[in-house]
């Protein structure tokens, strides 16, 4: 019985983590192809301590199931962002429904109109006031400042857009070794 309880506690740890908090810093649009979409981004303070952004995007093409999102994490080390453990690819369809990193709430609750599959061209989507829920982030991510790069590609390899989201992860309890 004790072994089963320990196993359930471990499984629950992967569903929600509570060890660290995520502090957003800013979002930037590094590149976008104006023939494919229009994008703008504005950073501001949500309240006295929390920063967030307004991101607007209007597609000029029909999204397909083969369109890709490449997510790459860079950790701040030695005065620059260096490639780290966070690297994965998703189709655009799967990225809209992604459960980790609080993406599902961002797409459903913070975007007007809600982003659903299939994404309709010509509709202006506005992402506003997204402050990430730290418990939806995966457990065990290294503490520090992060740059999360998101690269969007069409099914035939055309670079659509590049976004960079900057944040800081801070653990609530520090482990000290003696």
């Amino acid at each position: 019985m004790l072994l089963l309880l320990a196993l359930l506690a471990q499984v629950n740890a992967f569903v929600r983590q509570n060890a660290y908090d995520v502090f957003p810093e800013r979002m930037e649009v590094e590149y976008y192809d104006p023939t494919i979409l229009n994008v703008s981004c504005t950073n501001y303070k949500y309240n006295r301590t929390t920063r967030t952004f307004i991101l607007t995007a209007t597609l000029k093409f029909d999204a397909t199931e083969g369109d890709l999102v490449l997510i790459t994490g860079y950790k701040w080390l030695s005065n620059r962002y260096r490639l780290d453990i966070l690297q994965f690819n998703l189709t655009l369809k799967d990225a809209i429904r992604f459960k980790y990193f609080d993406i599902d709430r961002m797409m459903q609750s913070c975007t007007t109109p809600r982003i659903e599959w299939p994404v309709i061209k010509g509709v202006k989507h506005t992402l506003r006031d997204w402050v990430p829920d730290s418990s939806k982030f995966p457990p065990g991510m290294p503490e520090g400042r992060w740059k999360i790069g998101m690269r969007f590609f069409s099914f035939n390899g055309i670079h659509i857009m590049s976004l960079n989201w900057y944040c800081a992860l801070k653990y609530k309890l520090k482990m000290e070794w003696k």
Side-chain angles (χ1 to χ4, degrees):
M1 182 68 176
L2 189 58
L3 182 63
L4 182 61
L5 185 61
L7 180 62
L8 287 175
Q10 285 293 338
V11 170
N12 192 29
F14 288 106
V15 175
R16 289 195 175 269
Q17 69 83 23
N18 200 22
Y20 62 83
D21 288 322
V22 178
F23 298 97
E25 293 177 353
R26 69 183 187 278
M27 169 76 85
E28 69 180 12
V29 178
E30 184 178 311
Y31 166 82
Y32 74 95
D33 187 344
T35 62
I36 297 175
L37 80 158
N38 291 329
V39 178
S40 68
C41 184
T42 305
N43 294 286
Y44 69 99
K45 280 199 163 186
Y46 181 72
N47 57 31
R48 290 178 61 180
T49 59
T50 306
R51 297 179 184 133
T52 189
F53 57 91
I54 298 172
L55 180 71
T56 59
T58 306
L59 286 176
K60 297 180 182 177
F61 75 103
D62 290 320
T64 66
E65 291 193 21
D67 296 341
L68 285 177
V69 181
L70 285 74
I71 291 120
T72 310
Y74 301 88
K75 192 167 180 327
W76 183 259
L77 297 167
S78 302
N79 293 329
R80 70 179 204 176
Y81 287 101
R82 297 177 188 266
L83 188 62
D84 208 293
I85 60 170
L86 184 66
Q87 298 179 50
F88 55 94
N89 302 337
L90 295 169
T91 63
L92 184 58
K93 182 178 180 180
D94 292 336
I96 291 171
R97 300 180 184 134
F98 198 56
K99 299 291 182 202
Y100 279 113
F101 300 102
D102 201 25
I103 300 298
D104 57 341
R105 186 180 65 84
M106 177 179 71
M107 296 294 186
Q108 302 302 317
S109 301
C110 300
T111 306
T112 309
R114 293 170 52 172
I115 296 181
E116 295 177 345
W117 188 259
V119 181
I120 302 167
K121 76 175 181 181
V123 176
K124 181 179 180 179
H125 293 279
T126 303
L127 172 58
R128 177 187 314 270
D129 298 339
W130 178 65
V131 178
D133 180 2
S134 300
S135 67
K136 299 270 184 98
F137 279 63
M141 289 208 30
E143 184 176 35
R145 294 176 60 204
W146 284 83
K147 172 180 137 180
I148 309 297
M150 295 158 279
R151 311 290 179 254
F152 296 81
F153 291 93
S154 67
F155 72 96
N156 55 0
I158 297 171
H159 188 187
I160 300 169
M161 170 175 62
S162 294
L163 298 171
N164 293 317
W165 181 60
Y166 297 86
C167 65
L169 271 61
K170 294 186 181 172
Y171 277 82
K172 295 174 184 176
L173 295 173
K174 298 270 188 193
M175 300 298 272
E176 294 185 21
W177 297 94
K178 293 185 178 185

